[in-house]
Amino acid sequence: MQDKLTLMIPGPTPVPETVLKALGRHPIGHRSAEFQSIVERTTKQLQWLHQTTNDVLTITGSGTAAMEAGIINTLSRGDKVICGDNGKFGERWVKVAKAYGLEVQVLKAKWGQPLNTNDFRQLLETDTNKEIKAVILTHSETSTGVINDLETISKHVLNHGHAITIADCVTSIGACNIPMNDWGIDVIASGSQKGYMMPPGLSFIAMSKRAWKFNEISNLPKFYLDLKPYKKTSDKNSNPYTPAVNLYFALEAALTMMQTEGLQSIFARHARHREAVHAGMKAIGLQIFSEEGYGSPAITAISPQNIDAEQLRKEVKEKFDILLAGGQDHLKGKVFRIGHLGFVNDRDVLTAVAAIEATLGDLGINNVKTGAGVAATAEILQKR
Ligand SMILES: *Cc1c(COP(=O)(O)O)cnc(C)c1O
């Protein structure tokens, strides 16, 4: 049905009416006092979201721009780094690091499994010459629905004493607790079309004091993503280049909504929706792809054995106007993914489960009692 499509993919995510309305006005001059006050307020709001006093800079670009900025602004050619890789976005980190000539040691885990924190601890503990400059990883691995133990890994990095932690928190910020200061994370990359309840177009990069120290000697080539001009102008509530002015209107509206809801409520909502989706899928007889206990609060990957996941997705979209995500690379057709990130409420989760259940019934491959998934989901949702 026209205009009825509900996005339940891990970005772009649904955008609230208030945020859409904020977008729909004339752009204003980006050197105006009005715009500067928006930059001032959104910067404070971003620090609130990151639970930090560190700089949080806004770049016009997608999440990958912030990832790339994180690497090129802290590291130097030939630096030794450890990259965690347990999915598509871990792979992306490896590619970016290699593109800039870093010496990359990859710590892999199978897709669906979390990164092994002990692998990181061992490498860091045995690095007595302090050659490792950075540990780079994805917090919520969107391709597999796995949440990695960023807290423990960043602790191991702190114990090392020299390396910094660079984290892709693109689908975890605004979904679960990431106290940047308390955990001692040095660089956090994220993007507007995920937990921020905004359209795509802005990316955010948080930089610790240690990250700025690394920046002083970093010699990788950079220009648009050179963070020094962003920092210099951000201190004066401005931007080095023309920012996506209207997206800043949306950013302020979205972050204000988030502040009204409160961090703890936002985290609790995402945790509840993860639980509800897991319970619903299991009740239908479908398998959760991620290792038990490591489900991302933002996205759930499901491997429906003997069922073509693409066929299921297509039917759910056609019949119910709900867009689910497919599997990436070798998982194409083998998994589908339900995004429950950002502007998602209990109704969205309940209807997604119901739509999947009904579609399986239509396809003649549901061998459990119809309604079992909805019942299991509703039971979790009632608990709040
Ligand atoms: C979406 C996403 C990104 C960024 O992708 P862009 O398309 O560049 O915005 C990075 N990491 C993860 C884990 C993501 O889910």
Side-chain angles (χ1 to χ4, degrees):
M1 185 188 275
Q2 188 183 342
D3 290 348
K4 199 69 184 171
L5 187 68
T6 299
L7 296 176
M8 294 201 77
I9 57 174
T13 61
V15 179
E17 193 91 3
T18 305
V19 177
L20 289 174
K21 279 190 188 144
L23 278 167
R25 50 176 292 208
H26 282 289
I28 57 175
H30 63 291
R31 305 289 178 217
S32 65
E34 184 187 355
F35 191 71
Q36 283 178 350
S37 68
I38 293 173
V39 174
E40 185 177 9
R41 290 194 297 272
T42 52
T43 300
K44 289 209 179 87
Q45 289 176 310
L46 286 167
Q47 287 173 320
W48 164 81
L49 181 64
H50 288 72
Q51 304 180 55
T52 190
T53 47
N54 291 328
D55 292 305
V56 188
L57 304 170
T58 303
I59 302 170
T60 302
S62 82
T64 307
M67 293 169 69
E68 182 159 341
I71 286 189
I72 63 182
N73 284 280
T74 52
L75 298 167
S76 296
R77 209 169 270 114
D79 272 357
K80 186 171 173 186
V81 300
I82 302 175
C83 274
D85 172 7
N86 58 336
K88 186 88 186 157
F89 291 97
E91 270 176 13
R92 184 171 300 178
W93 269 135
V94 175
K95 283 183 188 160
V96 178
K98 286 189 172 163
Y100 283 98
L102 302 181
E103 190 194 323
V104 186
Q105 178 154 13
V106 184
L107 284 179
K108 270 186 191 277
K110 258 179 70 182
W111 287 38
Q113 302 285 317
L115 294 170
N116 183 341
T117 58
N118 278 327
D119 292 348
F120 287 83
R121 184 177 52 76
Q122 269 170 13
L123 275 184
L124 288 160
E125 278 179 3
T126 50
D127 179 39
T128 44
N129 292 337
K130 307 298 176 191
E131 283 169 357
I132 298 167
K133 297 291 184 263
V135 170
I136 305 171
L137 73 152
T138 308
H139 189 200
S140 165
E141 179 46 79
T142 310
S143 60
T144 60
V146 165
I147 188 98
N148 286 310
D149 188 352
L150 176 60
E151 181 180 10
T152 300
I153 292 172
S154 55
K155 255 188 214 139
H156 296 323
V157 179
L158 286 178
N159 287 338
H160 177 270
H162 286 258
I164 55 170
T165 303
I166 302 178
D168 168 347
C169 293
V170 179
T171 54
S172 55
I173 199 109
C176 59
N177 191 32
I178 310 172
M180 185 180 193
N181 276 37
D182 287 358
W183 289 3
I185 306 167
D186 296 291
V187 179
I188 292 181
S190 63
S192 59
Q193 79 277 27
K194 309 283 175 112
Y196 289 86
M197 314 191 291
M198 284 178 62
L202 293 182
S203 61
F204 309 98
I205 180 141
M207 294 273 289
S208 74
K209 293 207 170 59
R210 286 200 319 149
W212 284 121
K213 275 254 170 319
F214 273 56
N215 176 258
E216 283 167 20
I217 53 164
S218 158
N219 69 8
L220 293 177
K222 44 193 165 279
F223 185 79
Y224 182 70
L225 294 178
D226 184 347
L227 293 180
K228 270 202 199 85
Y230 285 90
K231 158 89 175 131
K232 202 170 149 210
T233 49
S234 172
D235 288 344
K236 297 183 204 135
N237 301 316
S238 190
N239 282 266
Y241 319 111
T242 313
V245 168
N246 288 53
L247 287 175
Y248 268 84
F249 302 151
L251 178 64
E252 184 172 20
L255 288 170
T256 302
M257 278 180 72
M258 291 174 86
Q259 287 183 318
T260 304
E261 185 176 0
L263 279 184
Q264 295 316 315
S265 304
I266 293 172
F267 302 156
R269 173 166 57 84
H270 283 83
R272 189 172 75 248
H273 288 166
R274 166 182 53 201
E275 244 194 282
V277 167
H278 282 221
M281 291 301 107
K282 285 181 189 165
I284 302 174
L286 301 182
Q287 242 176 46
I288 307 297
F289 185 72
S290 59
E291 171 90 358
E292 181 78 34
Y294 290 91
S296 164
I299 179 132
T300 301
I302 295 125
S303 45
Q305 319 282 316
N306 310 320
I307 297 168
D308 180 356
E310 287 306 292
Q311 174 74 8
L312 177 69
R313 244 162 45 79
K314 190 163 161 270
E315 302 274 337
V316 168
K317 177 163 179 277
E318 278 172 9
K319 289 208 187 88
F320 295 96
D321 297 296
I322 297 174
L323 185 64
L324 303 170
Q328 291 172 287
D329 293 350
H330 65 278
L331 293 181
K332 192 159 180 75
K334 297 212 172 73
V335 310
F336 68 91
R337 295 173 298 151
I338 306 176
H340 34 86
L341 170 63
F343 187 54
V344 173
N345 69 0
D346 290 7
R347 186 220 315 165
D348 297 325
V349 170
L350 196 60
T351 42
V353 172
I356 291 163
E357 187 166 36
T359 303
L360 286 175
D362 278 356
L363 293 172
I365 35 186
N366 189 0
N367 39 24
V368 296
K369 195 163 156 273
T370 305
V374 169
T377 303
E379 196 180 324
I380 302 290
L381 295 176
Q382 278 161 10
K383 278 188 197 157
R384 70 158 143 170

